[in-house]
Amino acid sequence: MCGIIGHVGTTCSTPILLDGLRRLEYRGYDSAGIVVISESGAPLLRRCEGKLRGLENSLFENPMTGTIGIGHTRWATHGKPTERNAHPHRGENGRVYVVHNGIVENFAELRERLLAEGCQLTSDTDTELIAHLIEKRLDDGVKLAEAVRQVCRVIRGSFGIAVLSATHPDRLIVARLRSPLVVGLGENENFVASDVPALLPYTRRVIYLQDEQLAVVTRTAVAIQTFDGKAVAPEVSEIKWDRHAAEKEGFRHYMLKEIYEQPRVLRELLAIHTDRGERLPRLDMVGESVDGLAHCNRILAFGCGTAWHSCLMARTFIEELARIPTEVDYASELRGRRPFAGPGVLGLAISQSGETADTLAAAMIMRKQGSRLLGICNVEGSSLVREADSVVHTHSGPEIGVASTKAFTGQLMVSFLLAVELGLRRGVLDKDRAASLVRACERLPEQIENLLLDSEKIQQIAWELHQKTDWLYLGRRWLYPIALEGALKLKEISYAHAEGYPAGEMKHGPIALLEPGLPVVALVGTGPSADKMRANIQEAKARDALIIGLSSEPHLLDGLAHHVLELPASRVETEPILHAVALQLLAYYVADARGCDVDQPRNLAKSVTVE
Ligand code: G6P
């Protein structure tokens, strides 16, 4: 949700800011802007409505140079995505420039106060108020960092901000409250960003700013203090992600690249989270051990979007393989109710970014009520990682496509191994069964490779059906969460309407939607529910729906499906991952055939850091 970048050094900041914004565009792409301080000391501002390309073209035609600057790519909260609402925002006298990720909750009150004081506001945003508030303090003779610190105590809500002022042209001030900010350390230059991928070409040494901290970043130094004004020693972390991890590497879209990365990601996850000798899971868990968690009475799993589907899958894995009662909730709902939590209940938060506002709020509620919190997360140093008592990393590398793919299958693999390990510790599984489950996981990377090699059929179906505007996805038991995820993937990137449903519920409503030619994507597993699925497909077929059947046993679909996608044979417990990959490809090719912007679907953002 909005990307922030900043640079201070000896070389020109403009290309660095643009490159950073390009790498952060997945966080928002309504408008973009940068400000740099020129050699003569004048602030130069450029902002453009729409995607980053507009700003790039404008800067190509009319370049701006300077060795310090900040930039922003926006996902609109307050005010329409127009140029006047694009960041950076400035104070009235143009002495202060601010970029902001988050939301100012006392916006109305602050706006009224500033207007009453005679302030001329030029945008509808909450961010502009921050710039005015800081500038007023500068006018009163307060130094820049102190002015920012004072304002941080006045604004409520969530924010990551970067501030630049021509009065202090050697420094960037950044501050955070519940919105991520990272400082990157270079040689004779330093950077700030809302996310690590923006920094990968420049440095691997970073400082994750904590909540209620402010940093003064110059070319050669970083000084951190709390909002109370206490100095804090910076803690430097080393990023392990490969420099090219956030590049497209020849693929047309990040999403396609990330789909193809899945075999590698799963192999690496297995290497990290299993004992290769015994062929048993041995989760590399930071914090509390799996043993400690195995004694819980109940698990309450929560997340948003695709991560919520991971929670549904985790419930199936954990209930089936470890026999721990597991409940699932949307994080946004959980935070609004009074969940039955407490010391015997383990909170399981699943999140790719570790920064989703609702997931973090739900996590806090669980902890406040005495539950321990286990996070499954992809981004090291993220807020969830810091909040949780224990964390398992999904090690999927940076995921840039807004629609989650490799992070999702990474989450599935981790929660599967977690379930097997919990099952072992609780005596539900013996070592032989656990080892056979791990071996089934070990076959997955190659099975996915075969599926990817054989993706032509999926492309053909996608091309044939790409003009369809309504789709139904059906699955049962192990494949029900995957049906939901398949439908979500399609709707978020192709804008076709798609519903995921447990097949058994079809007769209770969705069957009314069936019309001749409506595509029904039916996931047929190898378990005992296959016969029931076949009956549901019959019902859809009898109403002239167009059936696309997925199964590793294509004969189950003989005479039933118009299109059959044969998947590699796998066990009932591991085949959901194969179905998930096939549906990612289907969504991708349909969206591409419809000419959609696959990596940056309209109105969406990768990381939803506001409520
Ligand atoms: C947004 C993204 C989804 C993602 C969800 C949760 O809606 O578009 O792809 O699944 O947020 O994000 P998280 O980072 O918590 O997994």
Side-chain angles (χ1 to χ4, degrees), residues 303-308 350-356 359 399 401-404 411 488-489 492 604-608:
C304 299
T306 290
W308 181 73
I350 304 186
S351 172
Q352 187 284 128
S353 62
E355 300 294 350
T356 302
T359 306
E399 191 179 64
V402 166
S404 185
Q411 289 161 355
L488 175 67
K489 276 295 79 94
E492 64 185 344
L604 293 178
K606 178 106 192 121
S607 184
V608 180

Side-chain angles (χ1 to χ4, degrees), residues 92 114 117 119 131-141:
E92 206 161 333
L114 283 167
E117 287 170 11
C119 238
H132 284 279
L133 290 167
I134 296 170
E135 195 170 85
K136 277 180 171 295
R137 283 160 178 78
L138 283 190
D139 290 345
D140 292 343

Side-chain angles (χ1 to χ4, degrees), residues 170-214:
D170 63 336
R171 63 198 53 204
L172 303 170
I173 314 290
V174 287
R176 76 159 270 176
L177 180 69
R178 293 192 285 276
S179 274
L181 264 179
V182 198
V183 178
L185 305 174
E187 290 292 321
N188 222 1
E189 60 181 347
N190 285 318
F191 310 83
V192 299
S194 43
D195 220 343
V196 163
L199 304 177
L200 285 178
Y202 310 104
T203 181
R204 305 288 173 71
R205 295 175 64 236
V206 299
I207 300 165
Y208 295 104
L209 211 61
Q210 311 288 314
D211 270 346
E212 303 202 17
Q213 284 187 351
L214 172 150

